[in-house]
Amino acid sequence: MKLSVILKTLNEENRIGAAIESVIAALEAVPDIESEIIVADSGSKDRTIEIASRYPVIIAQIQAPAKASCGVGPQLGFQYSKGEFVALMDGDMLLDPTFLPEAFDYLDKHPRVAGVSGDINEVNLDNLEFTRRVQRIASQVKHGVRDRLNGGGVYRRAAIEEAGYFSDRNLHAFEEFDLAQRLRLRGWTLYRLDRRYVDHFGHNINSYVLLTRRWSSKYLLGTGELLRAGWQQGRLKQVVQENPEIKLWLGVYAWWAILLFCLIGSLFHPIGLIAFVALLVLPVVAMSIKKKSLELGLYAIVAWCFHAAALPFGILSRRKDPGSWIESTLLKP
């Protein structure tokens, strides 16, 4: 039996060395399993490749016309992998040293489980985006059968091949949900163990700067891109039903329309301006109360607006065959 560990990277010079070392240490807990570590790089401009080259790993990097996206990395690593099982993690994660034996034990006992994961421990909570993520995860049932494995996990190759491909190269977000839905529609299940999978360090930059970067990197187009993929593949209904974010963005459009109506009305009567200000402030107040933080409440509303504005651009984005070979080169076979 062989395991391929895929580390997807893009400018991870600060963390890639520790990430690789954590994988090497974790593989020592499963000495009877043959393994390979694949660094799947989406075009790093820093010292990521230089640092990764010091370790016993395979390094693959995209080449034009391939472009960086969240969906490119996993598929890039998968197309060079040989393992019967594939573990996916980011280049800024540390793999728990005792996770793999328990994961393989569960997969061995449950042959229709396509993938298993565990808790994603968010280390960096200085950023509002990751604070919101932790709160959102804490409000859900974290363990047991899941509809997706956000943050990575260990997958069966046979299940991935049955689903067509590992990740959709066209998606700038929701690539793990997309994979999970394709697996579930074919009768596979996913499971999150009640134990840690990885420590995740995330972005250590201002939250609003991160939002603008996610716009320029097209990350915010992910919802629209997912809708288009679902429509083309005949699963649009399931995509909409299983993503409450889509209904939320539609609610943002309705809010904008009402605000515009009030603003126009203010030209004819002062009550229109009062209504505009009240409706502008009300969602921020409501979210601040819910989050118990004005800072988090305001950021949530701003983030919603960014996502809603990006939705149509994602729907209109051009797509390539998600199962096609990703243009790339092996920098270190």
Side-chain angles (χ1 to χ4, degrees):
M1 185 168 65
K2 185 171 184 175
L3 168 68
S4 300
V5 181
I6 299 172
L7 288 165
K8 55 177 183 175
T9 60
L10 178 60
N11 298 325
E12 299 289 357
E13 64 178 4
N14 294 328
R15 293 289 177 185
I16 187 59
I20 294 172
E21 290 173 8
S22 76
V23 174
I24 293 173
L27 290 173
E28 293 177 356
V30 284
D32 295 334
I33 295 178
E34 187 181 355
S35 61
E36 62 182 359
I37 303 172
I38 302 173
V39 175
D41 188 74
S42 294
S44 293
K45 303 300 183 184
D46 62 1
R47 297 173 58 242
T48 297
I49 300 302
E50 174 192 339
I51 295 171
S53 299
R54 303 170 186 170
Y55 297 91
V57 300
I58 298 167
I59 302 175
Q61 188 177 57
I62 62 170
Q63 285 188 326
K67 296 180 180 179
S69 72
C70 292
V72 158
Q75 185 64 18
L76 173 64
F78 184 73
Q79 71 185 21
Y80 286 104
S81 67
K82 302 289 193 300
E84 300 166 56
F85 294 91
V86 179
L88 176 65
M89 52 186 283
D90 293 349
D92 59 356
M93 290 177 170
L94 299 180
L95 180 60
D96 185 281
T98 61
F99 176 80
L100 292 178
E102 192 169 338
F104 283 122
D105 180 66
Y106 191 88
L107 288 167
D108 182 58
K109 293 176 180 177
H110 301 85
R112 288 305 298 173
V113 172
V116 298
S117 187
D119 294 333
I120 311 299
N121 178 38
E122 295 289 352
V123 177
N124 174 24
L125 295 181
D126 295 332
N127 185 289
L128 295 177
E129 177 63 29
F130 289 102
T131 301
R132 287 178 64 231
R133 179 184 297 182
V134 170
Q135 291 180 349
R136 188 164 58 248
I137 292 173
S139 67
Q140 304 170 351
V141 178
K142 295 168 58 177
H143 310 117
V145 176
R146 306 295 294 155
D147 68 345
R148 70 195 81 177
L149 295 179
N150 288 344
V154 179
Y155 293 88
R156 296 182 194 272
R157 186 181 202 89
I160 295 170
E161 291 178 343
E162 185 179 325
Y165 46 89
F166 196 14
S167 63
D168 187 337
R169 64 185 294 172
N170 302 286
L171 296 180
H172 287 83
F174 291 103
E175 73 283 359
E176 286 155 327
F177 168 80
D178 177 79
L179 168 63
Q181 188 173 77
R182 287 184 284 111
L183 288 167
R184 289 186 285 104
L185 288 173
R186 289 164 175 81
W188 293 93
T189 58
L190 300 160
Y191 197 88
R192 192 174 292 277
L193 300 170
D194 186 7
R195 48 119 56 246
R196 183 176 58 175
Y197 174 48
V198 292
D199 290 329
H200 181 224
F201 288 84
H203 299 276
N204 189 23
I205 61 174
N206 178 272
S207 305
Y208 293 96
V209 173
L210 177 60
L211 266 182
T212 59
R213 286 189 182 181
R214 285 184 163 179
W215 180 279
S216 60
S217 69
K218 300 184 179 181
Y219 176 90
L220 298 180
L221 274 60
T223 306
E225 293 168 337
L226 179 66
L227 284 170
R228 179 160 179 173
W231 174 69
Q232 288 188 346
Q233 298 172 2
R235 52 189 174 92
L236 179 61
K237 181 179 179 181
Q238 291 91 336
V239 169
V240 174
Q241 288 177 337
E242 297 178 6
N243 280 278
E245 295 93 345
I246 295 172
K247 300 181 181 67
L248 179 59
W249 309 153
L250 294 177
V252 172
Y253 292 148
W255 178 51
W256 287 350
I258 295 172
L259 285 174
L260 179 60
F261 178 80
C262 293
L263 190 60
I264 294 173
S266 69
L267 299 175
F268 304 96
H269 198 285
I271 196 171
L273 181 60
I274 296 173
F276 174 82
V277 174
L279 288 172
L280 184 65
V281 174
L282 182 60
V284 177
V285 173
M287 284 303 298
S288 297
I289 293 173
K290 181 179 180 180
K291 300 290 186 181
K292 299 179 181 179
S293 165
L294 175 60
E295 190 178 25
L296 279 173
L298 177 61
Y299 178 76
I301 301 301
V302 173
W304 291 357
C305 291
F306 268 77
H307 280 277
L311 180 62
F313 294 98
I315 293 174
L316 297 173
S317 295
R318 296 178 62 182
R319 283 178 57 81
K320 290 186 176 182
D321 178 2
S324 62
W325 181 266
I326 294 176
E327 301 83 4
S328 56
T329 183
L330 277 177
L331 299 181
K332 184 182 178 186

